[in-house]
Amino acid sequence: MFKWRNVSQWLFATFMVLALSGCGYNTLQSTDEDIKATWAEVLNQYQRRADLVPNLVNVVKGYAAHEQEVFISVTEARARVGAIQATPELVNDEAAFQKFIAAQGELTGAISRLLLVAENYPQLKADGLFRDLQAQLEGTENRITVARNRYIAAVKTYNVTVRAFPSNLTAMLFGYKTKPSFTVENEAAIAVPPKVDFGAPAPAVGN
């Protein structure tokens, strides 16, 4: 027996799929997932950098134990980063996001000051472990830049969809809101990786 009710339900479902698709629902879904993926990579690279800090501090201490102010600033900056719950949901909280970025900027500055200490210690610059950590840090900073830029691009695409008509109507209907990104001020603080290229090791003095 032919059931018109089933047909009407199927037609209604089809209409809703086409309507939502045309109003940006699918785009909101896909771009939101892109943000989650790119933000996860940003967090992964920042964590990689934080994991390098203790070893970097320890090797520098071996040659410049009296540089306590620098060591304390790096340790405290790393602690502030670690105190923030860096979850995927962070991108939905503007205040928490900015706090996280500010903490990362402080750590970047502290690492830069730590690396500058090496300029005064030729033997430290020539230390194999230090040079290995230096290379790892440089690679990590580059990966942070790439990951951050991908996140910025993903947020831009998503936010345009949230704001543009008619997809903005769909966004309001389903509770999609714009997500925070890195600002110009933040970029000034964190976009430039710490200087880690100290050139060739200084020649040994004496025998």
Side-chain angles (χ1 to χ4, degrees), residues 30-83:
S30 62
T31 53
D32 189 42
E33 290 301 316
D34 286 343
I35 289 175
K36 291 177 183 177
T38 53
W39 179 245
E41 183 59 20
V42 169
L43 295 180
N44 179 51
Q45 297 305 331
Y46 273 135
Q47 184 59 52
R48 180 186 177 94
R49 179 175 71 169
D51 291 342
L52 287 172
V53 169
N55 291 334
L56 188 61
V57 169
N58 287 334
V59 72
V60 175
K61 272 186 178 180
Y63 292 88
H66 63 283
E67 303 279 358
Q68 288 299 316
E69 183 178 349
V70 176
F71 301 141
I72 291 173
S73 69
V74 174
T75 301
E76 290 181 345
R78 183 178 183 273
R80 283 191 288 272
V81 166

Side-chain angles (χ1 to χ4, degrees), residues 117-134:
V117 169
E119 291 288 354
N120 299 320
Y121 299 90
Q123 289 181 321
L124 170 58
K125 290 167 29 175
D127 183 278
L129 179 57
F130 177 78
R131 295 185 70 83
D132 179 60
L133 289 169
Q134 164 191 331

Side-chain angles (χ1 to χ4, degrees), residues 76-159:
E76 290 181 345
R78 183 178 183 273
R80 283 191 288 272
V81 166
I84 299 174
Q85 295 296 317
T87 65
E89 289 72 29
L90 196 67
V91 296
N92 297 318
D93 186 333
E94 175 76 29
F97 180 89
Q98 296 302 334
K99 184 178 180 181
F100 174 82
I101 298 307
Q104 292 293 347
E106 289 180 14
L107 181 57
T108 297
I111 292 174
S112 295
R113 290 189 292 275
L114 177 67
L115 292 173
L116 285 175
V117 169
E119 291 288 354
N120 299 320
Y121 299 90
Q123 289 181 321
L124 170 58
K125 290 167 29 175
D127 183 278
L129 179 57
F130 177 78
R131 295 185 70 83
D132 179 60
L133 289 169
Q134 164 191 331
Q136 290 185 56
L137 180 62
E138 183 176 33
T140 299
E141 291 294 343
N142 289 335
R143 283 189 287 270
I144 286 174
T145 299
V146 172
R148 191 175 58 241
N149 287 339
R150 287 175 179 168
Y151 171 79
I152 291 171
V155 169
K156 180 180 178 181
T157 300
Y158 168 87
N159 284 348

Side-chain angles (χ1 to χ4, degrees), residues 25 28-29 32 158 162 170-178:
Y25 180 78
L28 286 167
Q29 290 283 326
D32 189 42
Y158 168 87
V162 169
T170 304
M172 287 189 289
L173 179 63
F174 290 93
Y176 287 95
K177 298 179 180 180
T178 57

